């Protein structure tokens, strides 16, 4: 039997994965964010159109400054709103650091879109030779300040990641099992951590005997195929190596969290039968 037991420091759960509810919330937020960004870019397009048609020229109704400033403010408002919703979506369904390009783009898309929504219009404002110099200075200055604020608000300085959520989920499960304050149990990881803690408790209850009155946190599962670190399909974990479903199989053993790490993520439904086969005769008493 392959001994795959790790030290407590290395104990990790399966990789965190967004639930359907989390994915649904993230999708809705991203749709609203894209709509807000589309409005911001449409505002930029209107500004560029007016510039190209000399609506902000020096002798044209005082350069239509209120209209230009209003466009710049509107672009900033919708760009920031889109960025806030996009960052909230990333909290529900983050990217993985294992894909660096996607991780960067997904987390900093708000800042990228904001630059797109501001930069061409600002360049045209500063290059416009027909605009009154004073109006150009005012509009360019206001636009630059709004752009900087919107870009900074679009940057995610502490982005979430699948890896961080996996670590938090592991800590949360450990705290639940130990009866400690659940300081690591954010709403994003708590449900899946509770699954691990629930299964650990069920295993402990099922493996009580004279030598282990409090039960054990050791389970057995079919080893990943071809020496892989994780099975390609979900497996069931069992109470001991001698149960009939594991006959003639290559078996690993370890804690429930270690089983989850190798994609053995379901406890056996035949607990009573396996208690008898494994000799845990006091569990039902």
């Amino acid at each position: 039997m392959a001994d795959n037991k790790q030290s407590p420091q290395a104990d990790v759960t399966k990789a965190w994965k967004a639930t359907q509810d989390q994915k649904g919330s993230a999708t809705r937020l991203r749709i609203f964010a894209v709509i807000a960004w589309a409005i911001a870019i449409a505002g930029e397009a209107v500004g560029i159109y007016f510039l190209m048609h000399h609506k902000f020229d020096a002798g044209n109704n005082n350069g239509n400054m209120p209209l230009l400033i209003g466009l710049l403010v509107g672009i900033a408002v919708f760009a920031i709103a889109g960025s806030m919703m996009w960052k909230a979506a990333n909290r529900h369904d983050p990217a993985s650091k294992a894909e660096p390009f996607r991780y960067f783009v997904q987390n900093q898309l708000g800042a990228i879109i904001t630059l797109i929504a501001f930069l061409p219009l600002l360049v045209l404002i500063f290059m416009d030779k027909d605009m009154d110099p004073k109006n150009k200075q005012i509009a360019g200055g206001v636009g630059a300040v709004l752009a900087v604020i919107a870009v900074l608000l679009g940057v995610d300085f502490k982005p979430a990641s699948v890896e961080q959520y996996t670590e938090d989920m592991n800590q949360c499960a450990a705290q639940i099992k130990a009866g400690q304050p659940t300081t690591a149990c954010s709403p994003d990881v708590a449900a899946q951590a509770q699954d691990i803690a629930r299964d650990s408790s069920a295993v402990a209850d099922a493996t009580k005997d004279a030598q282990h009155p409090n039960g054990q946190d050791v389970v057995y599962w079919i080893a990943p195929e071809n020496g892989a670190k994780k099975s390609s399909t979900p497996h069931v974990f069992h109470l001991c190596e001698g149960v009939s479903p594991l006959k003639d199989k290559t078996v690993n053993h370890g804690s429930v969290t270690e089983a989850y790490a190798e994609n053995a993520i379901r406890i056996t439904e035949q607990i009573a039968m396996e208690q008898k086969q494994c000799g845990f005769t006091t569990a039902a008493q």
Side-chain angles (χ1 to χ4, degrees):
M1 177 182 66
D3 189 348
N4 196 43
K5 193 162 181 65
Q6 304 174 14
S7 66
Q9 291 79 7
D11 186 25
V12 294
T13 65
K14 64 171 183 175
W16 179 91
K17 186 177 181 180
T19 64
Q20 289 301 314
D21 286 345
Q22 288 170 319
K23 284 183 176 293
S25 296
T27 298
R28 287 190 295 273
L29 285 166
R30 286 177 177 139
I31 290 172
F32 291 136
V34 169
I35 292 171
W37 285 335
I39 294 172
I41 292 175
E44 176 191 37
V46 170
I48 291 173
Y49 176 84
F50 284 164
L51 276 169
M52 299 298 291
H53 287 77
H54 307 288
K55 298 295 184 181
F56 304 123
D57 288 358
N60 191 354
N61 191 24
N62 197 29
N64 282 322
M65 279 300 292
L67 175 59
L68 181 54
I69 297 300
L71 282 171
L72 291 168
V73 171
I75 292 169
V77 168
F78 282 101
I80 291 170
S83 294
M84 295 300 101
M85 288 185 284
W86 189 265
K87 287 196 284 187
N90 288 340
R91 296 289 181 268
H92 291 298
D93 186 18
S96 171
K97 291 181 179 179
E99 302 175 90
F101 179 75
R102 179 185 173 188
Y103 181 74
F104 172 79
V105 171
Q106 180 170 318
N107 286 305
Q108 308 310 331
L109 190 59
I112 295 169
I113 295 295
T114 300
L115 281 174
I116 294 172
F118 268 105
L119 195 56
L121 180 56
L122 287 176
V123 169
L124 287 177
I125 288 173
F126 285 116
M127 292 179 62
D128 192 336
K129 297 179 180 179
D130 297 317
M131 187 182 295
D132 179 80
K134 182 179 179 180
N135 288 349
K136 182 188 296 188
Q137 185 177 16
I138 293 172
V142 170
V145 170
L146 289 172
V148 169
I149 293 172
V151 168
L152 289 176
L153 290 175
V155 173
D156 197 337
F157 293 99
K158 293 183 179 180
S161 68
V162 171
E163 289 77 9
Q164 182 60 54
Y165 278 9
T166 299
E167 181 180 341
D168 291 346
M169 183 173 66
N170 186 41
Q171 293 177 358
C172 176
Q175 290 172 346
I176 293 172
K177 288 191 288 185
Q180 298 173 347
T182 52
T183 56
C185 297
S186 70
D188 298 303
V189 304
Q192 295 180 56
Q194 288 168 356
D195 290 342
I196 296 168
R198 181 200 61 231
D199 287 346
S200 297
S201 178
V203 169
D205 288 341
T207 56
K208 292 178 180 178
D209 58 17
Q211 289 74 37
H212 306 93
N214 296 320
Q216 303 177 63
D217 185 18
V218 181
V219 292
Y220 300 77
W221 63 94
I222 297 173
E225 301 82 0
N226 302 318
K229 292 183 178 180
K230 182 177 180 179
S231 294
S232 57
T233 57
H235 286 303
V236 173
F237 53 83
H238 305 270
L239 301 184
C240 69
E241 187 178 10
V243 296
S244 50
L246 295 179
K247 184 179 180 182
D248 299 325
K249 301 290 194 304
T250 302
V251 177
N252 283 353
H253 76 279
S255 68
V256 170
T257 50
E258 289 173 311
Y260 268 68
E262 295 189 7
N263 208 18
I265 57 174
R266 296 196 303 269
I267 188 171
T268 177
E269 294 181 354
Q270 299 176 313
I271 290 179
M273 181 194 77
E274 292 198 1
Q275 284 177 306
K276 293 179 181 179
Q277 291 182 347
C278 299
F280 299 118
T281 56
T282 64
Q285 295 178 3

